[in-house]
Amino acid sequence: MAVDAFAASNSIGSRSLRFCGLRREVLGFKSLSSTRLVASSPQRHLKKVSASLSENGTSSKGFDYDLVIIGAGVGGHGAALHAVEEGLKTAIIEGDVVGGTCVNRGCVPSKALLAASGRMRELQNEHHMKAFGLQVAAAGYDRQGVADHANNLASKIRSNLTNSMKALGVDILTGFGTILGPQKVKVGSTDKFDGKTVITSDHALKLEFVPDWIAIIGSGYIGLEFSDVYTALGSEVTFVEALDQLMPGFDPEIGKLAQRVLINPRKIDYHTGVFASKITPAKDGKPVTIELIDAKTKEPKDTLEVDAALIATGRAPFTKGLGLENINVETQRGFVPVDECMRVIDANGNLVPHLYCIGDANGKMMLAHAASAQGISVVEQVCGKDHVLNHLSIPAACFTHPEISMVGLTEPQAREKAEKEGFEISIAKTSFKANTKALAENEGEGLAKLIYRPDSGEILGVHIFGLHAADLIHEASNAIAMGTRIQDIKFAVHAHPTLSEVLDELFKAAKVKVSVSSPVGEPVAV
């Protein structure tokens, strides 16, 4: 009898498969020569399979694997490692390169560009340097050197992920995974595309050129980070945002402060409440033209002429070609419908046996670390353990200078929930201007905001704008994940002087109506 199979899908991006995973019984591999595994070129794919080590477990009788994952992105990688740890014989199918979008075209190379451009911005800030008593000659940069830094980092992380799976004996199959029916999969080939003056973030990360003026369509995480990169390297930026305000996904108070620091002082202008109805690439010496229409009335508003346009409206799930129609699964706006346990739901509302979907393809939270957490959660279920992931405990970050981070609900979301469920919320805030380490770094611009229930001490959301906000958020996200109440966490001790004291002061500023719920453990004499 085969161990339950796992199908998880975390696909993002353009035309290659990302982070999709299928549990093995879902694919039901009887043997590599069996008709249950249909590959376009079995011998070719077999050559790409890494050797299975003893650490990778032994599959159930009649099957080659206990678990097969389609997509070797961060979600698939996390699931594969946890599966081997749990004793499941595991294989992973990747249609492009190991690491998926995050490592190759997203989180990893973008952070390398932000690191380089952030240093450039700091060196160019004469007032900032002068405050430290430092004098810096005219700062410059080598475009190709910056691009190489991003590419080299992606290559290194990709290699690390590949080696970590091979070391545990995870079999890596190269090809595009398609479900043919219950417990059947085909491995085929893939294709790609490219862009020049009208680009996506995939192309922008190559930094093939730095335009004098670039329009960025969308002012969310991706657009905001690239505005940080391009302005630091000398570009002028114009945002085109369909909604009535910039940074619509952020807590409004944090977004307002971020706009004052990250947008208003920089060479950035913006158009809100408009769609880019038509974008014409540059050609024969003519610039890129962008026709803007009113987002509500659809009436023409303006026409922009720029050197380049970056489409940063977010990534769409890539679920075409997965063969979902063969198992009666209909996507919703491209997303695979799942329940709270990531189990796939078919067109009739029934659970598809042994099939799970994780990551961007299910649309719950399009973040690499969320995909990994979902994959681990599914493996737990495959192994017979009850596990439901609390998505409100998953943090997110925008790596601008300074950074923005968040976990849980925004203030409007919390107020809506409170009104619906009949409880009160309170807000606590602390400023980076009161933090010694931030002042020592001459980075006092920042705010931390706590949204909580004063009757129980439950943390509903935390939002941070300031130096290293992306690192600071995890104390709050872990507290939400573990169910820790404010009346308990406020007694935690933080080293001085550190930025972590921003969170310490934030929790201490909260006014909870109940006393300490319970001690964490007996005090230890030292």
Side-chain angles (χ1 to χ4, degrees):
M1 180 175 178
V3 176
D4 265 354
F6 153 60
S9 173
N10 178 353
S11 67
I12 45 184
S14 40
R15 299 176 66 185
S16 56
L17 188 63
R18 313 277 186 275
F19 310 166
C20 290
L22 295 189
R23 216 175 89 207
R24 178 318 211 187
E25 186 177 307
V26 134
L27 306 180
F29 291 175
K30 282 280 186 177
S31 68
L32 289 177
S33 60
S34 168
T35 56
R36 289 200 176 193
L37 172 58
V38 183
S40 57
S41 177
Q43 292 183 347
R44 175 169 59 87
H45 291 305
L46 282 173
K47 291 179 181 178
K48 295 180 180 291
V49 176
S50 58
S52 177
L53 303 180
S54 58
E55 288 88 343
N56 194 13
T58 303
S59 63
S60 302
K61 185 177 181 180
F63 292 86
D64 289 305
Y65 299 100
D66 296 315
L67 175 65
V68 170
I69 303 166
I70 297 180
V74 174
H77 173 266
L81 265 57
H82 191 60
V84 172
E85 180 182 336
E86 293 293 325
L88 302 181
K89 184 171 173 59
T90 305
I92 196 163
I93 302 171
E94 175 53 56
D96 191 2
V97 288
V98 169
T101 293
C102 173
V103 172
N104 299 289
R105 292 169 295 282
C107 328
V108 171
S110 67
K111 300 311 157 292
L113 292 185
L114 284 160
S117 61
R119 283 169 172 76
M120 186 67 187
R121 184 183 300 282
E122 187 173 16
L123 292 173
Q124 289 175 328
N125 191 334
E126 184 178 349
H127 176 74
H128 182 75
M129 290 290 106
K130 212 168 186 179
F132 288 112
L134 302 176
Q135 296 179 350
V136 180
Y141 69 91
D142 170 33
R143 180 199 59 77
Q144 189 58 53
V146 175
D148 288 345
H149 172 54
N151 182 63
N152 291 340
L153 178 62
S155 179
K156 181 176 182 180
I157 301 302
R158 182 168 60 246
S159 177
N160 288 348
L161 295 184
T162 302
N163 291 338
S164 66
M165 289 191 291
K166 286 184 176 180
L168 291 176
V170 176
D171 289 345
I172 302 175
L173 303 169
T174 301
F176 190 101
T178 302
I179 303 170
L180 298 180
Q183 302 184 342
K184 296 179 183 178
V185 69
K186 179 178 77 171
V187 182
S189 59
T190 62
D191 53 7
K192 303 176 182 180
F193 70 94
D194 194 14
K196 297 185 182 297
T197 57
V198 179
I199 59 177
T200 68
S201 58
D202 289 3
H203 311 116
L205 287 168
K206 298 176 183 177
L207 203 67
E208 293 179 342
F209 76 110
V210 178
D212 292 332
W213 186 8
I214 184 169
I216 299 179
I217 316 300
S219 63
Y221 296 91
I222 298 174
L224 205 57
E225 288 185 351
F226 274 104
S227 76
D228 199 280
V229 171
Y230 280 120
T231 53
L233 299 183
S235 300
E236 294 185 26
V237 170
T238 296
F239 274 119
V240 176
E241 174 56 57
L243 298 181
D244 292 331
Q245 65 181 43
L246 294 176
M247 296 173 278
F250 298 91
D251 181 87
E253 186 173 9
I254 295 295
K256 186 176 180 180
L257 175 59
Q259 181 173 335
R260 180 168 65 81
V261 176
L262 300 176
I263 293 179
N264 295 348
R266 301 178 181 179
K267 293 181 179 180
I268 300 176
D269 66 351
Y270 52 88
H271 299 265
T272 57
V274 295
F275 285 127
S277 62
K278 184 179 180 181
I279 303 177
T280 305
K283 188 177 181 181
D284 300 328
K286 296 181 180 180
V288 175
T289 59
I290 305 173
E291 297 178 18
L292 304 180
I293 62 173
D294 188 280
K296 296 177 181 176
T297 67
K298 304 302 185 289
E299 292 293 322
K301 292 283 290 185
D302 202 352
T303 299
L304 303 178
E305 293 185 348
V306 295
D307 297 306
L310 168 62
I311 312 302
T313 51
R315 292 185 178 274
F318 183 53
T319 49
K320 289 184 179 180
L322 283 177
L324 297 173
E325 67 280 1
N326 298 325
I327 50 174
N328 194 32
V329 172
E330 295 179 358
T331 60
Q332 300 170 358
R333 294 181 297 111
F335 296 107
V336 177
V338 297
D339 67 359
E340 71 281 359
C341 296
M342 311 302 138
R343 295 176 293 190
V344 175
I345 302 171
D346 69 16
N348 298 321
N350 300 317
L351 295 176
V352 179
H354 314 302
L355 188 64
Y356 299 76
C357 177
I358 66 169
D360 288 10
N362 67 32
K364 282 183 174 289
M365 186 172 277
M366 298 178 78
L367 297 169
H369 49 282
S372 182
Q374 290 173 359
I376 291 171
S377 177
V378 168
V379 170
E380 287 288 285
Q381 296 172 55
V382 170
C383 294
K385 306 172 187 176
D386 291 332
H387 190 277
V388 177
L389 180 64
N390 177 10
H391 285 80
L392 287 177
S393 71
I394 299 177
C398 184
F399 294 85
T400 46
H401 295 85
E403 297 171 344
I404 309 170
S405 63
M406 64 222 69
V407 65
L409 303 175
T410 63
E411 183 176 343
Q413 290 170 339
R415 292 197 180 281
E416 181 181 355
K417 179 181 175 67
E419 183 177 353
K420 185 180 298 184
E421 299 181 12
F423 61 84
E424 294 182 2
I425 68 166
S426 292
I427 308 294
K429 304 173 191 175
T430 55
S431 172
F432 278 63
K433 292 177 181 177
N435 182 267
T436 303
K437 183 65 183 300
L439 294 177
E441 298 279 354
N442 198 24
E443 296 282 358
E445 195 73 75
L447 173 73
K449 177 177 180 178
L450 168 66
I451 307 164
Y452 65 100
R453 289 184 58 162
D455 61 335
S456 65
E458 180 185 358
I459 300 171
L460 300 176
V462 174
H463 304 265
I464 308 173
F465 174 69
L467 182 66
H468 296 306
D471 299 311
L472 295 176
I473 196 65
H474 296 95
E475 182 172 2
S477 65
N478 288 337
I480 294 176
M482 301 300 292
T484 307
R485 306 289 169 146
I486 293 170
Q487 58 268 33
D488 294 325
I489 199 171
K490 71 178 184 180
F491 289 105
V493 180
H494 299 71
H496 175 77
T498 63
L499 292 173
S500 69
E501 291 175 292
V502 170
L503 271 295
D504 184 31
E505 294 299 324
L506 183 65
F507 293 129
K508 283 180 167 61
K511 306 299 181 184
V512 181
K513 297 176 183 178
V514 295
S515 59
V516 178
S517 57
S518 61
V520 175
E522 294 297 323
V524 178
V526 294

